[in-house]
Amino acid sequence: ISLDRLPIKRLESIEENGAEHFPSDVDYDDKRVSLIRRIDFAWALWKWKGMVENLQLAHQELSVIIDLIDTVQANDAVTVAGMTRPKPMPNEILSDLAVSTATKLQGYRNLGKYFKQSAKALEQKINREARFYGALIRLQRNWKVKRQRSNEGFTIDLSDSSLYDPTRPSTLSTIRVDHDSAGMLAINVPQDSWYSLRFGFVGTSETQSASDDKYVKETHSLLREVHKSIFAEQLFDMLNHEAFNEGVGFNISGIRENFMEMSIGQGASLFVSLHPSGKPNRPSYEIYLQQIFHEHAFGKAKDRNSGLLDHFCLSLTHRIFSNRVLVHLESVVCKVPYLHLISHPTWNSRTSSWTVFMTVPPSIIPQGKTQFRTKVVVKDDCISVEAECTPNVVGLLKSSSCNLFSMNKYECDVADLPVIILQQVASQIVCWLLEEARTVGTKASRDFLSLSLEIVEGERVSLVAQVNPEDTKGCISWWLVMENGEERRKSLGHLSLDVLYSVLMDLINLCG
């Protein structure tokens, strides 16, 4: 079977005998026209049919009118008779009057709407101005408000005539005051250009307002923050000036822009820096530094003998040292139940004072002493202890008497302080027991921490105090020592003052 390839052209017709007839060749334009003719435009043409007919009728009527005009212009005999307007009917008059009245009413309504909008805009403008100037007047009670020339608005002057260095005013001394679309105050302060003082130890880790009153308060707070920023700049500038002078209380260990590091005291270091929009890590030290700044820069009695930074570092060193002393005192007092600690204000930044207070049971001595005090005073980094009725070394060598109202002063370091405090307290207890024993007629003597009673000739019994700051049960324990040719000891443990007084009375009874 052989298949002939089909011709590309379409067949136009086939005769009965099988003869094929092909359509004749057509060019591109004819072909395009043929394709266009196949498109049905009937759906679009019927819409315009009525318009065409109307236009044709209008054209005919216009032709008649033009012919009439040409005839009248060419023939003088043809004239147009005058016509009078017929008298309007009452309903027509009322209709025209209603239309005229409605038109005027609509005009009046539009004019009223325009006036109403203008009045509302004017009222809003007046309210904005009243709100702005009202808030500005309230600010003027606390801040220096100035009007600019050529009606350029207002500014708030935060400059201070008592600046530490008047030749270097702050960039924030003048704050521009604007108002927003609602008439509220708008104070533009660049957030990255105002500072707060940051303090810390080196190496350690660290809307719209609902009402005008609230908005004004917030504005006051913002201006206060800017004022504090200017103050911090002045203070840091003053510290920088003094950092290069020789000081006793500090040594500069590092300095760069807006940051200064120094070493103070026994290996401690601190830094002072200006930090954008920050808050200090040690508020109490910041307040104290500002207090010293006020005393030096603005106080009437200025101490020119020591600089601000030197005095601050010495004071800070003292505070660190006094905190260590306080820790030792609290550690001792909390372990001995009959001891109490009292802190005393000294009103001196480089002096601290405490009293270790003890109350003994009511004495049988008329007007006898029932309270004993041991005072601890720290000046800079020196500790002194003043104790009542404690003998000094010379007194112990000369006599075994005890003066209940004597005061003796000792100096010590912080490491020995707990032992010295406990020795003073134990010595006061021994002094109290000695006076009680002598009051009832018993022959008794004392050493620094022991009380001795003579039982018979050659035999003695003693109460001996032993102090140990590391003892968590009471720090002061008591021993009973018998001496009759040989020494025997018995531990009595930690005794309260009442029990200790009873032991003394039992020993006195034993001595007869």
Side-chain angles (χ1 to χ4, degrees), residues 482-488:
M482 300 289 295
E483 297 178 13
N484 54 357
E486 61 181 85
E487 185 177 287
R488 290 178 296 173

Side-chain angles (χ1 to χ4, degrees), residues 48-62:
W48 302 101
K49 186 176 180 180
M51 181 180 291
V52 172
E53 293 177 353
N54 292 334
L55 289 175
Q56 290 176 351
L57 292 175
H59 183 266
Q60 293 175 4
E61 294 178 358
L62 185 60

